[in-house]
Amino acid sequence: MTAAHGSSPRDRRPEGPGPELVERERELALIARLLRSTAAGEPALVVFEGPDGIGKTTLMNALMTQARELRLRVVHTRAGQTGHRLPLSTTHALLADLSTDGSAGLPLTAWPSPPGGATARPQGLLRYDVGATSVSFSVLAELHEVVRRAAMAGPLVIAVDDVEEADPASLRFLAHTARRMTGLPVLLALARSSGAHVASLNEVAALPLCHVLRPRPLTGAGIGLLTRRLVGTGADSAFQESALAATNGNPLMVTRLLTALREEELPLTATHFTSMDEDDVLAFRPRALRLLHRQPRTTVQAARALAVLGDGAAPETSARLAHLDSTAFVGSVLVLSSIGFVTSNGDGTWSFAHALLRKAVLGDMSGEELASAHRRAARLLHDSGASAADVAEHLRRAATAPEPWARTVLREAARDAMLRSSPDRAVELLRPCVPEGSEDTCDLALLVELGVAETRVDPAASVRHLTAALKRASRPGLRLTAFGALTEALTRRGQVAHAVALLARYRSDVTAPSSGVASPHLLEAQMLLAASANRAAYTELLETVTFDVSLPGETAEERALLAARAVISVCRLDRVAESVAAARTVADRASSTTDAMPFRCAAGLALLYADLPHEAERVYRQLLEDTDPLTDRIHPSLLAFSAMAHQRLGGLDEALRATAAVLRDVDVPRATVHQALPLAVRLHTLLDRGDVAEASLLEAQIPDPVQDEAWQWNEVLCARGRLHLAKDDPKRALAHLEECERREAQWRRVSPAVSPWWYWAGRAHLALGDRRAARALAEEAVGHARAAHLPCALGSGLGLWAETVDDDERLPLLEEAEQVLADTGAALLRARVRVARGQMLHRLGYNKAAREVLRQGWEEAYTVGSRSLHRVAHRALLATGARPRRPVSRGLGALTHSEAQVARLAADGRSNAWIAERLFVTQRTVEVHLTSVYRKLGLSGRRELRDALESADAGTAAHGT
């Protein structure tokens, strides 16, 4: 293995010359300048500092090579070698050549005889008795005299590698010499590891003469150059970036990995490099292990303990796991650090320099050794008070039947996983506690917990475990939990008849309402919501159960069933008015202490699908205030539905913030059904703003939803169709929109307020010249919207219908659409219709009226941030002969700092005189500011100001902005 460029001074192997230095032009330029300065008679001081493998030794070698080319005299040693711990031993090794050279003048050094009477002291060297940590000034002065006289004979380079390993007396000498180099043609070069806090070296580094060089990690381009030099072939940028991510640009790690790839004749591709990080490079593992096994046995034990516990483990726990006392463990870790295996985290803990090194150490342990180490690690962590999640990870890897204390830990960790929306993790932790075949004898509560966790991960196993639990359960609370989870699991598997029969069985069990047993309404509500994950089950369920929404909603169980029935009924256009009343009942009466969050969320969704986005937005704002973003698994869904409400209201900035929060840590190409809705809402919002390019970038990453029948992917298909329409590809747009139509029909989501696919499909038909097809869609949507009182869908349908008729028929349709949308709060829809009506008025010759209407639509489009609609309105205004000024900004974001100050104080009830005195302005200035505030916020006076500001603050807090 080559040691060049990134070699560690503690791992030198004679394998021939390595590659040239890469990306060290800055360092080499400074070295050349310092050497020229020394050759000209000036002193110089340089310290190479960095972690092992960064290339300090290679830079030191480059310095000495250039010095010899300039005919400078070079003396060099590496501290920390055998025999270098005696006082002034490093100094002796460094100056021995100078003291025996006649040109140096006085042959002086200090060197105590080693034990046993033998001496390695060269002929003529004087001996001084010095302590391990102290040395007299006179000794330092005479040693410095050796350097001074050697420098007088010609320019001199003194180089010390691994200087932090030198004995304290030698460090004192180096610091003494560094302070007294004025007038001497001497270049003193020291190389030390970062994190080595040695007082003498820190003193040297702080001198004005000193240059501290900290070599930087390689970049992707640097790795590409090193690849060509080591392997002989180039690599694409994807491979370079993958190698950079895996090695953090450490030259030693890059060199070792590239050498391993070369010897294994493996392809230099990013895909292979990624798999290499998981499965290891065959040639790399033995290289690392050979280096490890050359160390003492205690070092191997320490490495294994650190590998089992993971990076950042407490030193005390690591030492106990390694069966070492603290002193032996610290010494072993220092050895691991010296060979480049581990690095200090700066807080007393250690981490492996690279994940591949940790994998190599773990792979060196047998299966029994590894399992035993994890069992012991779990117990040590448990006894030291570690979290249940940390202990459970080791218990899981121990692969043995857990003891009673371990089952308690696993259950606690599983409950935490469920709170954090990780049922798969909970199942992984609980299954070892319930071995196959033990369902009839294991802890009943534990069996139910496992079945509940499996409901969404493995419904078949959930059914098996919960069925076994119900045979044994007698406690009402436990039976309710088991019944509810089993009903949900059966529904998710499509076994609706079985789930309905189970629900009937539970109803027969509940004979006394005062018995404290929950109402069967809750189980039915859970079953209805679970059906939304299985289209076949959902379709069957619609024909099996009733959807009576006349329940009084006095209990939490009744409200849960009302919410579940209401959202399904609204989607089906079934008794929409009654369903809206039921959803309002749930929203008004539900509380965070009595009502489950999923059913309150369903009530909000019913209002949203009933074309009441302003009411839905208020519901979701309250729900977001009642949830914890870190622990409540429903929080992302609430954000997604809140974003949909904002998008329909024209609150584009709020919708983008909410979807960004949901998708912050999501790998879009691997998005699941849980991210489909926020992705669709984000696409729609970007298109509303006119950001077609950004929408295209996002859409290109979204996976193909064809194989997934979940209704959430229907919204992605709709947004995709709209995007292709914006990109002037109506044929492709229509294909996506018609696929969305087909899937929506299968899910019985026939309400025009559920999804706008029909509106954009009508636009696609118009772009293709098929006015008849567009009119059919518009007429059907308008008919449904009128019958069900869906104002936003009605306004959009009338606007689409107007595009399909002759000019003389359009104006009444657009006027009605604008009137319908006036009280909905859907600012963007209203602006879209107004711009269309203004264009129609202009076409019919009513220029004055057209200018007035277009100006309104122009300003509304600007206020909501729809740049595309604003451009359309601007062009239409210019066509009427108007010369529009800059539109008036609206909303809180449009307030100046002074206006916002005045508005806050006025909302608190302060008088104009009080505000003027507080802000040191005139009352007239306060009046002007308030007038501007009212105009920008669309308010009529102070009474509305407080509500507007409180509403905006609540919306901001809900999204964490």
Side-chain angles (χ1 to χ4, degrees), residues 521-565:
H521 291 325
L522 181 60
L523 298 188
E524 183 176 346
Q526 290 174 340
M527 181 175 65
L528 291 176
L529 291 191
S532 65
N534 186 314
R535 185 177 59 80
Y538 182 81
T539 305
E540 183 179 351
L541 200 61
L542 294 183
E543 309 300 331
T544 305
V545 301
T546 61
F547 287 87
D548 179 17
V549 290
S550 61
L551 294 172
E554 295 177 353
T555 66
E557 291 80 5
E558 286 182 348
R559 291 193 290 271
L561 185 55
L562 276 178
R565 286 177 174 177

Side-chain angles (χ1 to χ4, degrees), residues 182-199:
T182 304
L184 297 180
V186 176
L187 190 158
L188 177 60
L190 308 176
R192 71 166 179 172
S193 294
S194 55
H197 299 293
V198 181

